[in-house]
């Protein structure tokens, strides 16, 4: 048993009283989201109501989970916090640094050798400070958390944007940056703007080719990549109760693609079955004891329009399979309209690769349903015309589906089983031929399909669908194939049609595993030494950022005016750069190299105002830093969408960028910037974005009276001697302003620890 049953007992013991107190304060029926949030208010929070989307609130999460790429920087920060052990149950999961190339065994051994220094650091620092450590090969963080740690009514933060996966088991699970995780591990409250609430009422029941993945693909099409920003999405209704716990996890996982703070389902029979099926009967028994508190009040679901800020209704019985993309996860196509879209838009019709698995779709149910189609291909004498890969989500899932014969079925169809890791989903894919940058199409059951994300090729058209649809299209080798109506010609020249997929939510013989890959921490870590080689190119101890100098900022240079979509992949690429996630200086060499420069429509090519020449973004910024000159980055809408990676905030801070000025921010990135002592500002008039010129020298005025709700002034000093003064907004509260003044949130943590 790796989960902390005593912690769960403690949470549940106080749950009813906290809900009763919240009900008195709010004076109306409560959603499930509100129940959990109120039950996790930090000590010292007043018993009062909170204005959604406005009030900042301190919470006390039950646990922290970190993946290896982000855990390096989070734990390097925690080492400065002055604590002997983490204050809440915490875990590290080695899933991001394993590159997919040949197959599971070879790739895993190569990763262990290549990343030994990082794995040894994470293992030792976990051992010293009391964190559970999941070794490379154990699985993807979100699947491992769902199988072992998620529990109804709990609150967790995780250093990965798809942490909301645990919402499938009724947990408020939120993706954050490493500085947030550091605060919670240090015993400090965790701050969040009280979210707005979006209710999604599900009626009917899935059947045939439609899967849980199609629910979130549909929702993404409705809300777009920014429609859920600042909100928690709560699913309810008879349709919700008909979905498996892992299907619910899939929906919550990909809620990150609509910008949602998190997503959640209530506790029900499917949740109980999954808890018992994964060896947590004791948790299920405890949850049953407070079952009425682990779902929203009946009045809320009877009249959702009164209690949610927005309500969406989807009839699962009428829902079509969807395919989303390319290049963005919210371009949603019902499968009946997808073939026409492929032809009308001139997307490459030939499908090169189909990839299933990842943290989003690697459950037993997903794999068993996909395997039913693979078996049909073998039985009906069909050869898969596309490459086909399978990424199990955990060693427990891999071992079980192998025992039950599914991996053998995939191999018979020509599939390649990859390691239990993120792999191609995050760009850890040594795809042969990608360097040619040819136009091509792939389809995945992953969650994110930004340009260049999977293989580094900007011309790879990546589409997202359910594992069932991915498998069917891989068999056909054609994006325009609709398995619900089209036929295929087999090796004997006969026309055959694929039958509907079939599978099981849970293995009939139960889950099994020989070595799940878990390392418990030392009982006493005081004698454990954590060594970081000062000559290492992958790990670097941190130096505190300098505090604010107490004046307005003048003479800042424009580093880049980013045009259009600028995700965390554009700001701090993953892929080969993952090796430097523990070395701030080295990884800063990828700062904004993927962002499109407004003035020349090129990437990684900006004007150096000191020389008048054009250079790479990090090199130009290092020149400014060398001359003690600060700079400003200007961006478009939803700046920083995507991953939770705090490197996208730490890199500009480290290299001397002082402010990010954009039309709007993605939630996690805005918080990450604040944590690192940066100024995260938005145009009061979005049209003022057009006033920024390439040679601008920029002043930020009003910092000596920096206060919540008070605008600042930005002066754009143009090269011709003219200037524009514009008003800019911010969302800083008093505590966050203190982060800025101290130089970072961590600087305040250290001050409080002394």
């Amino acid at each position: 048993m790796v989960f902390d049953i005593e912690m769960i007992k403690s949470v549940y013991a106080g749950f009813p009283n906290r809900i009763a107190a919240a009900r008195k304060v709010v004076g109306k029926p409560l959603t499930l989201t509100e129940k959990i949030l109120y039950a996790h208010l930090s000590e010292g929070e007043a018993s009062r109501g909170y204005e959604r989307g406005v009030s900042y609130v301190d919470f006390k999460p039950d646990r922290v989970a970190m993946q290896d790429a982000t855990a390096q920087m989070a734990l390097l920060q925690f080492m400065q916090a002055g604590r002997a052990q983490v204050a809440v149950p915490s875990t590290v999961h080695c899933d991001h640094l394993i590159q997919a190339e040949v197959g599971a065994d070879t790739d895993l051994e190569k990763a262990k050798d290549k990343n030994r220094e990082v794995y040894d650091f994470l293992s030792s620092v976990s051992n010293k400070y009391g964190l559970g450590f999941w070794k490379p090969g154990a699985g993807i963080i979100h699947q491992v958390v769902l199988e072992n740690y998620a529990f109804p009514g709990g609150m967790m933060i995780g250093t990965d944007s798809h942490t909301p996966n645990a919402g499938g088991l009724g947990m408020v699970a939120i993706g954050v940056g490493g500085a947030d995780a550091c605060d919670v591990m240090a015993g400090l409250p965790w701050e969040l703007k009280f979210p707005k609430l979006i209710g999604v009422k599900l009626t009917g029941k899935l059947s045939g080719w439609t899967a849980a993945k199609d629910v979130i693909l549909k929702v993404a099409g409705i809300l777009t990549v920014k429609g859920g920003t600042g909100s928690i999405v709560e699913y309810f209704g008879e349709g919700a109760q008909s979905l498996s716990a892992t299907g619910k996890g899939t929906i919550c996982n990909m809620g990150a693609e609509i910008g949602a703070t998190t997503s959640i389902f209530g506790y029900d029979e499917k949740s109980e079955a999954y808890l018992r099926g994964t060896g947590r009967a004791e948790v299920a028994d405890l949850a049953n004891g407070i079952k009425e508190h682990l779902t929203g009040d009946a009045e809320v679901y009877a009249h959702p329009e009164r209690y949610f800020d927005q309500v969406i209704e989807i009839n699962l019985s009428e829902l079509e399979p969807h395919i989303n993309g390319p290049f963005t996860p919210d371009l949603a196509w019902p499968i009946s309209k997808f073939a026409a879209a492929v032809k009308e838009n001139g997307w490459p019709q030939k499908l090169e690769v189909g990839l299933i698995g990842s943290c989003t779709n690697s459950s037993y149910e997903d794999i068993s349903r996909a395997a039913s189609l693979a078996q049909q291909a073998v039985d009906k004498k069909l050869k898969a015309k596309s490459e086909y890969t399978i990424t199990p989500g955990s060693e427990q899932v891999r071992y079980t589906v192998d025992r039950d014969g599914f991996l053998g079925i995939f191999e018979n169809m020509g599939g390649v089983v990859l390691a239990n890791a993120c792999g191609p989903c995050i760009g850890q894919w040594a795809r042969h031929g990608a360097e040619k940058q040819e136009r091509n199409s792939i389809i995945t059951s992953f969650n994110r399909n930004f340009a260049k994300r999977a293989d580094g090729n900007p011309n790879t058209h990546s589409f997202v669908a359910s594992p069932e649809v991915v498998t069917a299209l891989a068999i056909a080798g054609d994006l325009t194939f609709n398995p619900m109506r089209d036929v295929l010609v087999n090796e004997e020249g006969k026309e055959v049609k694929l039958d509907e997929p079939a599978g099981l939510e849970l293995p009939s013989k139960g889950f099994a595993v020989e070595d799940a890959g878990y390392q418990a921490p030392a009982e006493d870590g005081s004698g454990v030494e954590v060594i970081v080689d000062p000559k290492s190119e992958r790990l670097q101890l941190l130096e505190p950022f300098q505090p604010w100098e107490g004046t307005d900022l003048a003479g800042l240079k424009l580093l880049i005016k980013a045009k259009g979509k600028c995700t965390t992949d554009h700001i701090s690429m993953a892929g080969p750069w993952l090796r430097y996630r523990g070395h701030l200086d080295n990884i800063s060499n990828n700062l904004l190299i993927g962002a499109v420069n407004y003035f020349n429509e090129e990437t990684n090519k900006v004007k150096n105002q000191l020389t008048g020449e054009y250079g790479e973004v990090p090199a130009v910024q290092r020149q400014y830093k060398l001359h003690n000159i600060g700079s400003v980055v200007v961006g478009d809408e939803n700046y920083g969408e995507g991953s939770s990676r705090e490197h996208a905030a730490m890199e500009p801070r480290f290299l001397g960028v002082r402010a990010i000025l954009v039309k709007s921010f993605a939630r996690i990135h805005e918080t990450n910037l604040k944590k690192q002592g940066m100024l995260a500002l938005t145009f009061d008039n979005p049209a003022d974005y057009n006033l920024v010129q390439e040679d601008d020298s920029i002043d930020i005025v009003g910092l000596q009276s920096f206060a919540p709700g008070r605008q600042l002034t930005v002066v754009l000093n143009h090269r011709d001697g003219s200037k524009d003064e514009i008003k800019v907004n911010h969302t800083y509260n008093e505590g966050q302003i203190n982060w800025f003044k101290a130089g970072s949130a961590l600087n305040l943590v250290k001050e409080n620890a002394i």
Side-chain angles (χ1 to χ4, degrees):
M1 181 175 72
V2 296
F3 59 90
D4 189 334
I5 193 65
E6 295 306 317
M7 177 268 285
I8 298 174
K9 287 179 179 178
S10 175
V11 172
Y12 282 178
F15 215 85
N17 289 337
R18 286 176 174 262
I19 298 303
R23 205 181 301 281
K24 289 180 180 179
V25 170
V26 177
K28 63 180 180 62
L30 298 174
T31 64
L32 170 62
T33 301
E34 289 171 315
K35 289 181 179 181
I36 299 176
L37 292 180
Y38 275 99
H40 285 85
L41 291 177
S42 178
E43 294 176 13
E45 279 286 350
S47 296
R48 57 186 174 89
Y50 298 97
E51 187 176 353
R52 297 176 187 171
V54 175
S55 307
Y56 280 93
V57 188
D58 285 343
F59 293 101
K60 187 177 181 182
D62 302 312
R63 64 175 309 109
V64 173
M66 297 173 286
Q67 41 95 333
D68 51 356
T70 50
Q72 295 171 63
M73 195 59 68
L75 290 171
L76 284 166
Q77 292 178 85
F78 179 78
M79 289 171 66
Q80 299 184 65
R83 285 193 63 99
Q85 277 207 325
V86 290
V88 300
S90 305
T91 50
V92 172
H93 304 258
C94 295
D95 61 0
H96 270 55
L97 301 179
I98 302 168
Q99 188 174 50
E101 184 174 10
V102 178
D105 293 341
T106 301
D107 293 345
L108 180 57
E109 289 308 309
K110 185 176 180 180
K112 287 179 178 178
D113 180 63
K114 183 178 179 181
N115 303 311
R116 188 173 308 280
E117 177 185 16
V118 172
Y119 292 148
D120 287 349
F121 166 73
L122 292 174
S123 174
S124 63
V125 76
S126 297
N127 209 20
K128 181 175 183 62
Y129 293 110
L131 296 89
F133 179 71
W134 291 83
K135 303 173 187 177
I140 307 173
I141 177 174
H142 312 303
Q143 181 69 23
V144 173
V145 165
L146 196 70
E147 293 175 3
N148 295 277
Y149 299 116
F151 67 96
M155 174 182 270
M156 177 179 73
I157 62 170
T159 60
D160 190 280
S161 56
H162 295 102
T163 299
N165 192 79
L169 268 183
M171 191 175 208
V172 167
I174 300 175
V176 300
D180 278 341
C182 179
D183 286 355
V184 174
M185 290 188 294
L188 298 179
W190 174 66
E191 183 184 68
L192 177 73
K193 184 182 288 186
F194 203 93
K196 293 184 178 181
L197 302 181
I198 297 175
V200 180
K201 182 179 181 179
L202 300 180
T203 61
K205 191 174 183 179
L206 296 174
S207 63
W209 283 92
T210 311
K213 183 64 164 273
D214 298 306
V215 176
I216 186 57
L217 294 177
K218 172 75 171 179
V219 170
I222 295 171
L223 290 176
T224 77
V225 291
K226 57 182 291 187
T229 302
S231 301
I232 290 181
V233 182
E234 184 172 324
Y235 292 84
F236 62 93
E238 61 184 34
Q241 295 178 20
S242 71
L243 299 173
S244 67
T246 51
K248 293 169 184 171
T250 292
I251 293 168
C252 293
N253 177 298
M254 199 174 159
E257 310 326 315
I258 59 173
T261 301
T262 192
S263 302
I264 193 168
F265 285 80
Y267 178 70
D268 56 24
E269 292 180 0
K270 299 286 190 177
S271 313
E272 180 182 355
Y274 186 74
L275 285 170
R276 296 189 187 282
T278 50
R280 291 173 287 172
E282 193 171 357
V283 178
D285 291 340
L286 289 171
N288 285 341
I290 60 165
K291 192 170 185 178
E292 77 234 47
H293 301 301
L294 299 177
T295 186
D297 289 339
E299 169 67 16
V300 169
Y301 296 153
H303 302 283
E305 67 284 352
R306 299 177 186 173
Y307 303 99
F308 292 97
D309 297 289
Q310 181 180 354
V311 178
I312 297 169
E313 186 167 342
I314 297 174
N315 186 337
L316 301 183
S317 300
E318 299 174 355
L319 182 65
E320 274 191 70
H322 274 59
I323 300 175
N324 286 24
F327 305 130
T328 184
D330 61 347
L331 186 58
W333 303 97
I335 198 167
S336 61
K337 297 180 180 179
F338 184 64
V342 171
K343 295 174 181 177
E344 289 170 8
N345 289 283
W347 299 327
Q349 183 172 330
K350 180 185 177 184
L351 181 64
E352 299 293 341
V353 192
L355 306 97
I356 70 164
S358 87
C359 67
T360 321
N361 279 108
S362 56
S363 66
Y364 187 90
E365 180 181 26
D366 290 326
I367 292 178
S368 65
R369 281 172 63 86
S372 74
L373 294 170
Q375 185 63 58
Q376 286 187 55
V378 174
D379 295 343
K380 297 182 179 184
K381 296 182 171 51
L382 292 166
K383 286 284 187 182
K385 294 183 180 178
S386 304
E387 292 181 37
Y388 184 73
T389 70
I390 306 94
T391 302
S394 70
E395 176 58 15
Q396 178 168 272
V397 165
R398 188 213 64 81
Y399 188 94
T400 304
V401 298
D402 189 27
R403 178 202 68 189
D404 293 349
F406 298 142
L407 297 188
I409 292 172
F410 290 131
E411 289 168 352
N412 289 340
M413 191 188 81
V416 175
V417 179
L418 301 176
N420 313 323
C422 300
C425 184
I426 61 163
Q428 281 285 52
W429 184 19
R431 186 183 179 191
H432 306 294
E435 70 282 355
K436 299 176 184 176
Q437 298 201 350
E438 296 174 338
R439 292 182 81 250
N440 74 104
S441 291
I442 66 173
I443 190 166
T444 80
S445 70
F446 306 160
N447 44 43
R448 203 164 271 170
N449 61 339
F450 301 139
K452 300 191 285 187
R453 180 174 175 84
D455 62 4
N457 178 4
N459 298 311
T460 292
H461 292 59
S462 181
F463 299 88
V464 180
S466 68
E468 299 91 322
V469 169
V470 170
T471 304
L473 267 63
I475 293 169
D478 186 341
L479 272 185
T480 65
F481 175 67
N482 182 345
M484 298 177 69
R485 69 181 186 207
D486 297 340
V487 297
L488 296 169
V489 178
N490 69 7
E491 293 176 300
E492 297 176 346
K494 297 179 180 177
E495 288 189 347
V496 296
K497 192 171 185 295
L498 294 174
D499 300 322
E500 295 176 350
L504 297 171
E505 293 181 8
L506 296 167
S508 57
K509 293 186 286 185
F511 284 105
V513 67
E514 288 184 348
D515 179 6
Y518 177 70
Q519 170 190 293
E523 289 285 338
D524 179 6
S526 60
V528 177
E529 185 177 5
V530 180
I531 300 175
V532 176
D533 184 348
K535 298 179 181 179
S536 171
E537 68 165 12
R538 299 196 63 178
L539 294 167
Q540 179 188 50
L541 295 176
L542 296 175
E543 294 291 335
F545 291 133
Q546 292 299 308
W548 173 55
E549 50 269 70
T551 64
D552 289 339
L553 303 180
L556 307 176
K557 301 300 184 184
L558 175 69
L559 176 60
I560 186 173
K561 180 178 175 179
K563 181 179 179 180
K565 187 183 284 287
C566 193
T567 71
T568 47
D569 280 337
H570 295 87
I571 304 168
S572 175
M573 288 184 177
W577 291 94
L578 285 172
R579 66 180 284 103
Y580 301 120
R581 283 288 180 87
H583 198 293
L584 184 54
D585 195 2
N586 285 345
I587 199 170
S588 293
N589 288 320
N590 77 3
L591 174 65
L592 286 158
I593 63 176
V596 176
N597 183 356
Y598 176 91
F599 298 106
N600 58 16
E601 301 281 341
E602 296 189 53
T603 58
N604 203 22
K605 188 175 181 181
V606 296
K607 190 171 185 178
N608 183 334
Q609 293 191 43
L610 299 180
T611 65
E613 299 176 351
Y614 286 84
E616 297 179 344
V617 181
V620 170
Q621 182 55 39
R622 286 185 185 275
Q623 277 283 303
Y624 293 155
K625 182 178 182 180
L626 183 65
H627 289 83
N628 200 30
I629 297 172
S631 64
V632 175
V633 170
V634 173
D636 215 316
E637 297 282 4
N638 207 30
Y639 183 89
E641 72 173 273
S643 169
S644 70
R645 69 190 66 152
E646 66 179 334
H647 298 76
M650 295 187 77
E651 290 174 32
R653 179 71 169 104
F654 175 73
L655 291 182
V657 177
R658 300 301 300 270
I660 311 293
L661 173 59
V662 301
K663 294 180 182 178
S664 65
F665 283 106
R667 176 191 62 85
I668 298 176
H669 187 63
E670 182 180 23
T671 300
N672 287 347
L673 290 168
K674 292 177 179 181
K675 286 277 184 177
Q676 301 305 332
M678 293 279 286
L679 285 172
L681 308 174
T682 57
F683 292 100
D684 181 54
N685 178 4
D688 287 344
Y689 169 90
N690 299 316
L691 298 177
V692 179
Q693 299 179 18
E694 189 171 31
D695 292 297
D696 280 351
S697 180
I698 301 171
D699 305 329
I700 301 176
V701 180
L703 290 175
Q704 291 179 334
S705 56
F706 194 11
R710 181 177 295 176
Q711 289 182 320
L712 297 173
T713 299
V714 167
V715 182
L716 304 172
N717 299 290
H718 306 309
R719 188 178 184 183
D720 63 5
S722 65
K723 65 181 180 180
D724 285 296
E725 291 191 8
I726 62 175
K727 294 298 183 182
V728 297
N729 301 322
H730 65 84
T731 60
Y732 288 74
N733 59 28
E734 290 288 357
Q736 294 167 345
I737 290 172
N738 287 332
W739 298 344
F740 167 74
K741 291 179 177 179
S744 72
L746 181 59
N747 286 355
L748 282 185
V749 172
K750 291 165 64 178
E751 288 177 14
N752 293 333
I754 295 174

